[in-house]
Amino acid sequence: HLTEADVAAIVRAEAAERDAAASQYERSGHGERAAGLRHGTRALLDGLAGQEETRRPGGPGGKRARG
């Protein structure tokens, strides 16, 4: 079984690979493909950040002070 940390590491590695590929696309004149990869990379990292935020105490879904 994968832990949350394992999944986060996999997502970050995938994001780094996508960023490297986007740079190669840009250097070879394929700016639109690079932009598409970077858009997908942002979505992956935003999703990861959202998942990490929901697991923090006080974050969305975490313990909140009652008023």
Side-chain angles (χ1 to χ4, degrees):
H1 296 282
L2 295 174
T3 66
E4 289 180 29
D6 293 334
V7 173
I10 291 167
V11 171
R12 287 189 185 101
E14 177 66 22
E17 287 179 23
R18 286 171 165 261
D19 190 52
S23 294
Q24 290 177 347
Y25 276 126
E26 282 181 336
R27 285 192 297 274
S28 62
H30 297 282
E32 287 185 31
R33 283 191 162 179
L37 273 174
R38 288 205 167 103
H39 179 76
T41 300
R42 279 191 302 276
L44 284 171
L45 294 175
D46 288 349
L48 179 61
Q51 289 295 318
E52 290 173 341
E53 181 65 28
T54 61
R55 286 172 173 64
R56 288 189 192 130
K63 294 181 181 177
R64 297 180 186 172
R66 293 184 183 205

